[in-house]
Amino acid sequence: MSLNPPQRAAVEYCDGPLLVLAGAGSGKTRVITEKIAHLVKRRNVSATKIAAITFTNKAAREMRERVAKLVSGPTAEGLTVCTFHALGLKFLQLEHARAGLRRGFSVLDADDSQGIVKDLAPKGIKNDALFALQSLVSRAKNEGLTPEQAAMRAGGAREREAAAIYDAYQKRLAAFNAVDFDDLIRLPLAILEGDAEARGAWQERIRYLLLDEYQDTNDAQYRLMKALAGERGAFTAVGDDDQSIYAWRGANPENLSELSRDYPNLRVVKLEQNYRCARRILRAANALIANNDHLFEKKLWSEQAEGAPIRVLECRDDEHEAERVAGEIAHLAEKHKATWSDFAILYRGNHQARPLEKALRLARIPYHLTGGTAFLERAEVKDLLAYLRLINNPDDDAAFLRIVNVPRRDIGATSLEKLGEASAARHVSMLRAAQNDTVLGYLSARPASALAGFVDLVRELSRKAQTMAAADLVDELIQRTGYAAHIATQVKEPGLLARRLENLKELADWFRAMQKNGATGDLAAQLALLTHGDRDDPGNAVRLMTLHSAKGLEFRFVFIVGAEDGSLPHDGGIEEGRLDEERRLMYVGITRAKEQLALTFARRKRRFGEILSNEPSRFLAELPQADLHWSGRDPEQDEAQRKDVASASLAKLAALFDK
């Protein structure tokens, strides 16, 4: 398929800053990949000097694969296609000295960071208050603030407390030679804004910048983009203000207007032809989003078929809603000979999935729940993998910090901070510092003894790892550390305990399966295979996911459930005046549908033990009513539909008995 005129204009304009307003389904990824090819082939820009930034590793991987088909061979080598955070990591690996880091620094994950904040927070702090403190620290970092700046801006007691914790938290990270996820943006930004030499070098290193999902940038990411692009403004920002749905995690759609102010010569190209949705679905999306204010007006259009009416299904309660959706899916799959993966059920919050899972199981419809805790993210699995990482690499401080006190060894935060300072002074990892008798002499007797025992354990397991299969090493780890007993002290509910212990067995079985399939016996290689394995592949199954998770995806048939005031729009959005973002969320859901869309709501739902009455979402009234079919308002059409669904259900039952 050839580029349409606006797409071609976006690809070929390279002489100044460019904003591409790319509506849903308008081919924005194609524009980015074609532009990279144009820069390399027609503008003679070296691929090593081009960086394309997106927001997820999956999107970066897919973009890289598409570019490889357009720019093959040596000319594509050195091209950077990654997330903001991956670019920040690459920056810090090259500029670690400017950031006050030693080579081989660690990157802490969210669990590691939360553990440090919890340790610094007042004793006995409740989880909600802890989360609020951590969010305030993260917000300060995402705004590019230092601890001192955060303290100066603090507007109340909680923000002052968060600023103090931020200061102590950064000192702890410095002692550990570690950064957290937010630092991957904050530290490069601080260097680029404060060091003219570094800024000039990086502006020369990256001669052209492409940014995907620009509307999702936060303040620090926008400043980072400006620092890299410089006054030349050699960039293309691709985004859609109608799909800005991440304000709750710092995204600032106002960056669109900032862009036009900071770059007066900004050119704007609008991609308004939608290649995904039936025209009726697109009309509904346009009518809905027209109720929001816009800096740049655009209206999507499509040459696709008109499509079936959008169905609005009124249900008695959430169980009836789930049963009805399951029945509709069975009917549509049979009628259109569709695969299960052609269907998606979208909702505002993860709690809405429970009745849907039950109804789909009863209907024997396979489903995949996006957003559940992935196997490799379970605490016990991460703990054992951290042990294996440290056994394989004694310089992995992040792994050391995760498991040095798991199971509990009476090694307190003060002792770890002293150990971190000693490792920094000696320019060695924390495990290597703990092997030094002089360093242990700085500590109290109990933590020094515990650390010595931990060092001996890692040494012994490292020796065994030379000859022992990874699966057997997992078994040995569990036995030597008493990890199963550790879980038993934490979990009192028998069913949950059994599941967590089963996860330990599954990890060992996973390594055995890799070995059986011919994977190398090298522990580092097996860890890499395991860590990068994709257990979240949905296969041929109905997708259940939140509206936030659905962004960027498309399906033939989409059901948006819980279209009630209080759910969509959410109570918080109504009370806090954030209806624009809630409307954008609904818009994102509608534009996931290619052929057919159904919106469902329940008149009653149980919340916090009470049965509450619901009103249909106010957004339903904003849709073009001529394109909707409301159940109950056309008895003749409803009866025909009911017979179709009943017939499909009977056919499914008959097929089961024939087996």
Side-chain angles (χ1 to χ4, degrees):
M1 184 179 69
S2 61
L3 296 169
N4 64 36
Q7 288 175 332
R8 184 165 298 284
V11 166
E12 293 180 352
Y13 183 72
C14 304
D15 299 322
L18 174 67
L19 172 63
V20 180
L21 288 172
S26 62
K28 68 180 179 64
T29 303
R30 185 167 184 228
V31 165
I32 295 172
T33 54
E34 290 279 359
K35 185 149 196 172
I36 292 171
H38 178 79
L39 286 164
V40 173
K41 291 179 175 180
R42 301 293 176 87
R43 293 298 185 110
N44 296 317
V45 179
S46 170
T48 60
K49 293 185 178 293
I50 299 172
I53 312 300
T54 188
F55 271 79
T56 68
N57 290 317
K58 181 184 176 191
R61 184 171 62 250
E62 290 173 353
M63 192 178 292
R64 199 177 297 114
E65 290 168 356
R66 291 174 70 166
V67 170
K69 293 176 182 177
L70 296 171
V71 186
S72 57
T75 54
E77 291 179 7
L79 175 69
T80 297
V81 183
C82 63
T83 64
F84 263 110
H85 292 92
L87 181 66
L89 176 60
K90 179 180 178 180
F91 182 101
L92 290 178
Q93 286 170 335
L94 293 170
E95 305 283 3
H96 58 87
R98 294 184 197 265
L101 296 165
R102 302 192 307 281
R103 192 182 301 278
F105 62 87
S106 297
V107 181
L108 305 187
D109 66 13
D111 286 348
D112 299 327
S113 298
Q114 186 180 58
I116 295 175
V117 173
K118 185 175 182 179
D119 188 61
L120 295 170
K123 300 304 177 189
I125 188 171
K126 296 242 172 79
N127 284 338
D128 286 351
L130 178 65
F131 178 77
L133 279 175
Q134 190 173 12
S135 296
L136 286 170
V137 171
S138 180
R139 189 176 74 185
K141 289 189 167 196
N142 283 323
E143 291 175 1
L145 302 179
T146 64
E148 295 75 21
Q149 290 168 331
M152 289 175 61
R153 289 197 188 184
R158 175 173 283 188
E159 290 187 359
R160 285 193 293 273
E161 181 183 23
I165 286 176
Y166 178 16
D167 185 48
Y169 174 82
Q170 287 305 117
K171 288 174 180 172
R172 185 76 56 89
L173 291 191
F176 293 163
N177 190 37
V179 297
D180 66 13
F181 207 57
D182 295 324
D183 285 328
L184 297 179
I185 305 296
R186 185 185 69 86
L187 291 174
L189 175 61
I191 292 168
L192 288 170
E193 288 187 339
D195 188 326
E197 182 183 355
R199 186 167 61 251
W202 276 86
Q203 287 174 358
E204 178 58 34
R205 180 187 291 270
I206 299 177
R207 298 293 294 169
Y208 203 92
L209 194 62
L210 301 103
L211 292 97
D212 191 15
E213 304 288 5
Y214 174 73
Q215 76 282 346
D216 292 336
T217 54
N218 59 33
D219 294 339
Q221 288 163 342
Y222 176 57
R223 286 164 56 192
L224 183 64
M225 184 215 79
K226 282 200 302 178
L228 290 170
E231 293 182 5
R232 290 183 301 115
F235 67 81
T236 294
V238 182
D240 181 9
D241 52 342
D242 291 334
Q243 296 188 73
S244 180
I245 57 174
Y246 294 114
W248 53 276
R249 69 182 189 196
N252 184 7
E254 293 300 312
N255 284 345
L256 286 162
S257 55
E258 288 290 325
L259 200 61
S260 57
R261 281 195 290 269
D262 290 338
Y263 294 93
N265 61 331
L266 179 73
R267 180 172 292 192
V268 178
V269 174
K270 300 178 185 179
L271 304 184
E272 296 173 294
Q273 182 174 0
N274 174 286
Y275 293 94
R276 175 190 302 155
C277 305
R279 290 204 295 271
R280 201 185 298 265
I281 292 170
L282 209 54
R283 276 200 300 273
N286 281 335
L288 176 74
I289 207 63
N291 291 278
N292 278 6
D293 293 331
H294 290 84
L295 178 65
F296 302 100
E297 292 294 335
K298 68 178 185 305
K299 188 171 184 179
L300 298 186
W301 59 277
S302 173
E303 292 181 343
Q304 305 292 86
E306 180 72 2
I310 297 167
R311 301 187 63 220
V312 183
L313 308 180
E314 178 179 341
C315 308
R316 294 188 303 274
D317 53 34
D318 49 358
E319 288 193 0
H320 179 225
E321 181 179 43
E323 291 163 5
R324 196 161 181 188
V325 169
E328 292 284 342
I329 288 174
H331 161 62
L332 289 169
E334 179 67 26
K335 180 178 179 180
H336 295 278
K337 306 303 177 191
T339 62
W340 299 122
S341 58
D342 287 330
F343 296 87
I345 307 174
L346 311 180
Y347 36 77
R348 183 64 176 79
N350 279 313
H351 67 280
Q352 293 170 273
R354 295 186 193 110
L356 293 162
E357 289 189 82
K358 179 182 174 184
L360 291 169
R361 281 197 299 267
L362 287 172
R364 298 201 176 189
I365 295 174
Y367 67 88
H368 176 83
L369 183 64
T370 298
T373 304
F375 178 74
L376 292 177
E377 293 302 312
R378 298 184 190 280
E380 58 273 15
V381 174
K382 291 181 77 170
D383 285 346
L384 289 188
L385 288 176
Y387 268 106
L388 293 174
R389 282 164 44 201
L390 191 62
I391 288 166
N392 179 68
N393 176 15
D395 294 327
D396 190 334
D397 280 354
F400 176 92
L401 289 168
R402 182 176 183 93
I403 44 82
V404 67
N405 226 7
V406 177
R408 189 160 185 81
R409 296 185 176 89
D410 293 325
I411 304 169
T414 302
S415 297
L416 286 177
E417 196 163 346
K418 288 180 180 177
L419 181 65
E421 290 167 355
S423 74
R426 287 165 170 75
H427 305 289
V428 297
S429 69
M430 295 181 77
L431 181 66
R432 295 189 193 279
Q435 296 169 5
N436 187 304
D437 290 338
T438 303
V439 171
L440 292 181
Y442 298 151
L443 310 180
S444 301
R446 182 178 292 180
S449 175
L451 267 172
F454 178 71
V455 167
D456 288 343
L457 172 66
V458 174
R459 275 178 175 157
E460 183 181 345
L461 291 171
S462 296
R463 284 195 298 271
K464 290 190 174 186
Q466 304 301 314
T467 56
M468 185 178 283
D472 297 330
L473 193 59
V474 171
D475 293 335
E476 178 82 2
L477 256 174
I478 295 168
Q479 190 272 322
R480 288 295 309 276
T481 60
Y483 195 87
H486 162 70
I487 293 179
T489 62
Q490 293 185 315
V491 181
K492 302 305 179 186
E493 199 274 302
L496 179 58
L497 175 60
R499 286 195 296 275
R500 293 189 66 179
L501 292 174
E502 181 62 26
N503 286 335
L504 305 183
K505 180 179 180 298
E506 185 176 346
L507 181 63
D509 289 344
W510 201 354
F511 277 115
R512 287 192 181 92
M514 280 198 296
Q515 199 166 10
K516 187 177 179 181
N517 292 333
T520 175
D522 177 66
L523 179 59
Q526 290 196 44
L527 277 172
L529 283 172
L530 188 66
T531 305
H532 293 95
D534 184 10
R535 289 182 60 92
D536 202 42
D537 180 10
N540 185 22
V542 174
R543 298 288 295 274
L544 272 67
M545 65 180 75
T546 64
L547 288 156
H548 285 99
S549 299
K551 188 159 171 286
L553 303 177
E554 59 182 43
F555 304 90
R556 287 181 65 189
F557 308 95
V558 169
F559 292 79
I560 300 177
V561 302
E564 308 118 15
D565 270 7
S567 289
L568 184 63
H570 191 268
D571 279 329
I574 297 171
E575 293 165 5
E576 296 168 19
R578 292 186 286 101
L579 275 178
D580 278 9
E581 177 149 347
E582 292 293 308
R583 189 177 284 111
R584 291 194 292 266
L585 199 54
M586 179 78 151
Y587 173 86
V588 166
I590 289 173
T591 53
R592 299 312 94 195
K594 296 165 70 176
E595 295 179 21
Q596 292 193 35
L597 172 68
L599 309 167
T600 72
F601 66 94
R603 282 294 182 183
R604 297 185 307 278
K605 276 191 179 173
R606 184 181 295 275
R607 287 188 189 176
F608 309 112
E610 290 184 76
I611 303 295
L612 303 176
S613 296
N614 294 318
E615 290 297 322
S617 170
R618 64 192 68 191
F619 295 151
L620 296 177
E622 297 177 358
L623 303 179
Q625 299 304 300
D627 289 319
L628 306 184
H629 169 66
W630 290 70
S631 65
R633 296 187 183 180
D634 185 344
E636 188 175 322
Q637 189 170 346
D638 284 346
E639 180 61 19
Q641 180 72 16
R642 188 193 65 77
K643 286 180 178 177
D644 271 356
V645 174
S647 175
S649 298
L650 286 171
K652 193 170 179 64
L653 281 172
L656 288 173
F657 283 117
D658 285 342
K659 288 181 179 178

